[in-house]
Amino acid sequence: MKIQFCGAASGVTGSCHLITTEKHKILLDCGQFQGGKAMEAMNFEPFPFNPAEIDYLILSHAHIDHCGRIPLLIKRGFKGDIYCTDATADLVEVMLKDSGYIHEKEAEWKNRKAERAGKPFVEPLYTYNDALDALKYLKPVLYDQLIELNEEMKIVFNDAGHILGSAITELWIEEQGNVSKIVYSGDLGVMDRPILRNPTIIKKADYVIMETTYGNRLHPQNSTSIDELIKIVLKTIQRGGTVVIPSFAVGRTQELIYQFNRFYQDNSEYKRQLENLMVYVDSPMATTATEVFKRNAQVFDEETKAYILKGDNPLDFKNLKFTRSTEDSIFLNMDRHPKVIISASGMCEAGRIRHHLKHNLWNPKSSIVFVGYQAEGTLGRLLVDGIKDVTLFGEDIHVNAEIHDLEGFSGHADRNGLLSWLAGFRERPSELFLVHGETEAKHDFAKTIKDELGYDATVVEGVAEYVLENHKIVNREEALREAVSRDSLVNIKKRISDIHYDLEKILYNTQLAVDDGVSPERIAEINNIVLELEKMSLNLGSAVTKEDKSEPCCARAL
């Protein structure tokens, strides 16, 4: 069995991991690369595998960096089943249709420029119709439902607590009578957050593939970020400005609606001050996604269900307005009344948020509030890092607005959350692969694991392939360069033993050696050689012993 990491191995986007067995090939996620132009260009490169050979795609959740290249995978030959939770299937429809529409419009815009410049036309990554076609391959299932993919493979989805429908995947694979269990974390959520349940603790695995987005960072308490948000809002409206919140359409937007609902509905000190303040969700996709949330209340946490049972809709309040039309979106920037605008995309790379930034970044009365992860190379990351001049729609904008980064709203577990989830395994996995994180975060988290839990992790960098044999890991490239068969190890050990024996005969009869003309200096040198050979023999003997005593995989109890 082999694992090949084909995305989210050098950053936090493009999640895609291939598992190959004797009979089957399974893909874990097929996400889009997001960031600057170089990252976006990676989406058009060929897959490092033949899509037509993939039997199944296991989808962890509906964020575009995990599902965004599924229509392309199908265009290039994939005809298998795509398994995901039922809530994920609902959201994937929203995400992929929107993504296909955006790719089409971007290609049209580029081709208009290319035509005027006499340059060749470009093709969209995929179209709206390609996205529609991809939906036919979805096989929605429930959390905790055992799915038999075939005679050798079974999966179970567990709640990951990241977004609606997000899943931790347990995958059992049988080969040559042995059963191995792989656990894929997907993206792990934060404990005790509104709407969603906590990430499921998994007790046993042979191999773990784990995200490390915030592997070296701690979030502020969510309550602290909520208090900070309301203070920013109050301060901004008092000076007559607009609060612009770039937010991911799925996940963060719904949590923000939930929190504003609490401000408006509860008898809080803020209720009177916010009474006339409008909150706009200016994203057709976020609007539709919120409707999907309302249809999937069965997977909400107990607190949110309790609000619903009391007759309160936690995803609505009287001052909330969803805008769908372009005209309504344009009006928001013409209206000078203080307001809150929540708009996608969360990293400011596309969508209506860029128009709202154009109309507010220059204004010292306004505030821009980031509530999610900002990947390297994105406009959001540049603004968080303090850039003072940007270009939007061909216009140079000087940044005068206040910029805030409230990490407490992040949907990803921080370092301690990741470590807590990993510590839930009753037995140490044979191997832990760290992915979906920037290089420093992955290496720092690997050190934290070593310090806190006492075992090593493999930090995956770039497209890499590993061979898994009887719960041991072999890096494929190293194996090809350094492969030594078991018989070779045994023969080398025997030769060393023979040489060792001959040298000892000389050393044990030093006088005979001297009589034969061997100098004392030479004898001392030979003695040092013997010591080195002893070390080599012990090491090689250990390697052979490991080969002899390697335990076979055993079936894992469900």
Side-chain angles (χ1 to χ4, degrees):
M1 181 167 60
K2 298 184 292 186
I3 298 180
Q4 183 179 9
F5 298 96
C6 309
S10 299
V12 297
T13 63
S15 183
C16 186
H17 317 298
L18 175 64
I19 297 174
T20 302
T21 71
E22 291 178 337
K23 298 180 181 179
H24 302 284
K25 292 186 177 182
I26 302 177
L27 210 57
L28 304 176
D29 288 345
C30 189
Q32 198 166 302
F33 293 98
Q34 297 172 299
K37 291 183 178 179
M39 291 292 290
E40 294 288 344
M42 292 174 65
N43 292 311
F44 291 87
E45 295 180 1
F47 291 104
F49 50 81
N50 182 356
E53 295 178 353
I54 306 299
D55 298 296
Y56 311 97
L57 170 60
I58 310 300
L59 181 58
S60 66
H61 64 287
H63 273 154
I64 210 72
D65 62 320
H66 290 257
C67 74
R69 286 214 291 173
I70 288 177
L72 182 66
L73 186 77
I74 292 168
K75 281 179 64 176
R76 294 184 177 173
F78 173 78
K79 298 300 178 187
D81 293 327
I82 302 174
Y83 285 91
C84 61
T85 66
D86 50 358
T88 291
D90 288 346
L91 287 174
V92 163
E93 179 178 357
V94 178
M95 301 294 281
L96 291 185
K97 286 160 70 173
D98 182 79
S99 180
Y101 175 82
I102 289 173
H103 285 304
E104 275 193 80
K105 293 302 178 184
E106 285 182 348
E108 289 176 9
W109 176 74
K110 290 178 181 178
N111 286 336
R112 285 196 297 270
K113 292 181 64 177
E115 186 175 23
R116 292 192 294 268
K119 295 181 179 179
F121 283 8
V122 300
E123 290 288 331
L125 188 67
Y126 54 86
T127 66
Y128 180 88
N129 286 334
D130 291 330
L132 283 179
D133 184 55
L135 301 178
K136 296 185 296 187
Y137 295 84
L138 294 179
K139 300 290 183 183
V141 299
L142 301 174
Y143 283 125
D144 304 317
Q145 180 181 353
L146 180 65
I147 306 300
E148 295 190 9
L149 302 180
N150 52 55
E151 292 183 355
E152 293 85 20
M153 296 178 176
K154 300 177 178 66
I155 62 168
V156 169
F157 288 126
N158 305 271
D159 202 329
H162 174 59
I163 65 168
L164 188 78
S166 60
I168 300 163
T169 304
E170 294 178 281
L171 170 63
W172 289 266
I173 297 177
E174 181 177 353
E175 277 192 306
Q176 298 178 353
N178 298 320
V179 178
S180 295
K181 180 181 176 184
I182 297 173
V183 170
Y184 173 45
S185 74
D187 285 354
L188 294 170
V190 180
M191 298 285 288
D192 302 322
R193 293 296 288 275
I195 305 177
L196 302 177
R197 296 178 296 200
N198 290 335
T200 305
I201 299 300
I202 307 298
K203 297 177 181 178
K204 204 169 186 181
D206 297 312
Y207 306 105
V208 177
I209 303 169
M210 184 178 183
E211 69 117 326
T212 56
T213 308
Y214 284 96
N216 58 354
R217 291 156 69 178
L218 297 177
H219 299 323
Q221 291 292 322
N222 185 239
S223 58
T224 302
S225 289
I226 293 168
D227 290 341
E228 185 65 21
L229 173 62
I230 198 63
K231 289 175 183 177
I232 293 168
V233 170
L234 293 175
K235 182 180 176 182
T236 304
I237 64 175
Q238 285 168 5
R239 62 178 182 242
T242 293
V243 177
V244 177
I245 307 179
S247 179
F248 299 100
V250 176
R252 297 297 68 71
T253 293
Q254 288 72 37
E255 183 178 347
L256 287 168
I257 294 171
Y258 180 97
Q259 296 299 350
F260 276 109
N261 175 292
R262 303 273 66 78
F263 296 144
Y264 281 89
Q265 301 291 352
D266 295 347
N267 292 320
S268 67
E269 59 181 297
Y270 306 122
K271 186 174 181 179
R272 182 181 57 81
Q273 301 176 70
L274 297 173
E275 190 170 0
N276 296 317
L277 179 71
M278 292 298 297
V279 176
Y280 295 94
V281 175
D282 185 36
S283 165
M285 182 168 63
T287 301
T288 305
T290 304
E291 294 170 356
V292 172
F293 267 68
K294 293 175 182 178
R295 296 199 303 268
N296 284 274
Q298 75 279 1
V299 297
F300 288 175
D301 64 10
E302 294 307 315
E303 181 184 15
T304 307
K305 288 179 182 177
Y307 277 118
I308 295 172
L309 289 174
K310 288 191 301 183
D312 180 17
N313 183 344
L315 296 176
D316 198 9
F317 53 91
K318 69 181 183 69
N319 289 49
L320 177 67
K321 183 174 181 180
F322 293 90
T323 60
R324 283 191 179 273
S325 71
T326 303
E327 292 75 20
D328 286 343
S329 180
I330 293 172
F331 175 76
L332 294 180
N333 290 317
M334 297 173 61
D335 176 24
R336 295 304 176 190
H337 290 91
K339 66 184 77 65
V340 175
I341 302 173
I342 304 170
S343 187
S345 70
M347 297 184 194
C348 308
E349 286 299 286
R352 294 179 178 181
I353 187 63
R354 293 174 72 88
H355 291 277
H356 298 308
L357 291 176
K358 174 184 174 181
H359 287 276
N360 287 278
L361 277 174
W362 61 269
N363 189 348
K365 295 179 181 180
S366 295
S367 297
I368 315 299
V369 183
F370 290 94
V371 292
Y373 188 84
Q374 305 301 309
E376 285 185 352
T378 62
L379 176 58
R381 181 65 166 265
L382 293 173
L383 290 169
V384 167
D385 288 346
I387 193 171
K388 288 301 179 185
D389 294 282
V390 300
T391 301
L392 288 165
F393 304 104
E395 185 175 336
D396 295 331
I397 310 289
H398 184 69
V399 179
N400 292 313
E402 289 186 356
I403 308 295
H404 302 271
D405 185 15
L406 303 184
E407 285 191 0
F409 280 103
S410 173
H412 285 270
D414 64 5
R415 182 195 68 197
N416 288 352
L418 294 171
L419 191 65
S420 176
W421 182 79
L422 189 58
F425 286 94
R426 289 179 178 175
E427 297 179 9
R428 180 185 303 179
S430 296
E431 187 59 38
L432 168 64
F433 298 99
L434 301 183
V435 296
H436 203 286
E438 293 174 5
T439 299
E440 186 177 357
K442 285 187 291 191
H443 283 280
D444 287 350
F445 189 58
K447 183 178 184 304
T448 298
I449 294 169
K450 181 70 172 177
D451 294 342
E452 298 292 331
L453 301 180
Y455 56 90
D456 297 316
T458 297
V459 176
V460 178
E461 297 286 0
V463 176
E465 185 177 272
Y466 297 86
V467 179
L468 310 179
E469 296 177 345
N470 292 330
H471 296 181
K472 298 189 298 301
I473 176 175
V474 180
N475 183 295
R476 185 174 183 274
E477 297 301 322
E478 292 179 4
L480 290 175
R481 291 195 304 268
E482 303 175 11
V484 178
S485 69
R486 182 181 179 281
D487 289 342
S488 296
L489 288 173
V490 173
N491 289 335
I492 291 170
K493 183 175 181 291
K494 183 178 184 303
R495 288 174 62 194
I496 289 176
S497 296
D498 292 341
I499 295 170
H500 187 181
Y501 179 72
D502 290 338
L503 288 170
E504 282 182 333
K505 282 196 298 185
I506 296 174
L507 292 173
Y508 289 153
N509 195 340
T510 305
Q511 186 58 51
L512 179 61
V514 170
D515 292 342
D516 287 343
V518 180
S519 69
E521 291 79 11
R522 179 59 176 162
I523 292 174
E525 182 181 356
I526 290 173
N527 189 44
N528 288 333
I529 293 173
V530 169
L531 291 174
E532 289 298 315
L533 287 171
E534 284 178 341
K535 293 178 184 177
M536 291 175 63
S537 181
L538 286 172
N539 290 337
L540 285 166
S542 176
V544 172
T545 300
K546 288 179 181 178
E547 288 285 343
D548 289 339
K549 295 184 178 181
S550 58
E551 297 181 0
C553 303
C554 56
R556 295 299 183 257
L558 298 181

